[in-house]
Amino acid sequence: MKRSLTLFIFAFGLAVSGVAEPPELSPRDQTIRQIMMTPEFMLERDYESAENNIREVLRGSPKNILALQQLAHLLVVRGREEEAVPVREKVKSLYPKASLPERCYIDITTYPFPKGKESKLQPAEVREMADKNPDDYLANYVAGLYFNNLPDAELTCLYLERAVKLAPWLGQAHNLLGYTYTYLRRYDKAVSHLREYARIYPDRANPHDSLGESYFMTGRYDESITEFQAALAINPSFTAARLHLIDAYQAKGQYTPAKQQALKIWEKAESDDQKVVALAFLSEIFRHRGDLAHARSKAEAILALKPESNAGFFQLGMALWQMGRWDELQQVLDRWAVILNRKSHQNSSGKKWSSSDYDFLLAKLNASLGNFNTAIELFQKINTQILIPHQSIDVKHELAEAFFAMGDSKTTLGTLNQILEINPNYVPSLSLRARLYASKSKPDLAKKDAKRCLDILRDADRSSPQYVEVINLYNQLQKR
């Protein structure tokens, strides 16, 4: 699992059970390893272990600025803001005499400064810091974090590779390199680093979740399922891995096991927010299965719990869209717009409200009503806001659907090929390309894509709309 590069991504190792031991380290390095174990606990929401770990560090090094920074963040995450205040003050008092890598790290994290993640340092200064200290793993690691925030993938890899060469035990450096190389489509390097991350932490769940995500984004669904299951075997309470497992099952059309996983989240939910997550996934799963009445009821249950929930409005809108109830969908969008507009006025920044989920739903409605230019404009707006190509596949596919409906075969094919270069097993785009080839009297190419869909969906629920559409297309092509 990847998280935003705030304080808790500073996570490496600790000489405890479940952590592979590196060669003998200096006392400074041993302290840093222990500090950097805290975020590993936090990624899996084991906040008690995280706090115990960081307080142990501070008993031996009460003025360690990195440990204090982590403690401040952890206390806020645990809802103990008042306790975090004096810790933040200690960080501020130590900041002027901290090393440049430490100050850079403090600058790019949320706390203790209220300005967010914007660093006071300029890119040239950070590069100089790392380049003048090629043997300092901390300087290079922090430089990697800094450039990941910009984002600059090449410089991120440059400095993190330098860091892990100096200190191979830097677990989160391997983790971040795994994601970054995935985004750069250097998949062998990505897998290599994520496997090393798992070797460093053999008894932690997050390395398996990260490797599973890399596999999932590249269409290696069976391998991703294996990794997500491994993560859950280690930590059954690791909700992020369970959500990723649901996504992987759905990508293969296996909605029954996906539903079982979503129900486990529902059964363990302790807050309304957790219930919303479970209900949103259940609504999506029912919709993909073609059970639209249940999809709608789950979405309405979200809004009963949280009347202003974006997830509730989105899932309800998607259910109504699939049911073809355009008037009701427009009413949902109107209600949602009122809430978003009110929240915008409450925002001190004065910026006009924006919601990619709202825009996505509005674009779907416009495409269904034949307003293709408006739909395309909205989908393109969303697409430009997504920096990582692997995360824009769904939106790009909707663009392809709109271009296809307009009769623009060339742009449709170009868009579909872009998607399938990233994820060659993305069934919606494979199916649409098969339909496109069939419409252009290219039955062999159409059959090839349809057959590939069926291979991916070999264990799918046979009654789902997606499977029915693909098998009917394949059977029609077989008759030609």
Side-chain angles (χ1 to χ4, degrees), residues 359-379:
D359 288 341
F360 185 91
L361 204 52
L362 182 60
K364 293 278 285 184
L365 176 59
N366 273 280
S368 298
L369 296 174
N371 304 324
F372 298 116
N373 289 330
T374 300
I376 288 169
E377 183 179 345
L378 286 165
F379 285 133

Side-chain angles (χ1 to χ4, degrees), residues 384-399:
T384 58
Q385 296 170 350
I386 302 173
L387 298 177
I388 298 169
H390 298 72
Q391 296 177 354
S392 68
I393 284 179
D394 290 341
V395 177
K396 278 190 168 68
H397 178 77
E398 295 297 338
L399 275 169

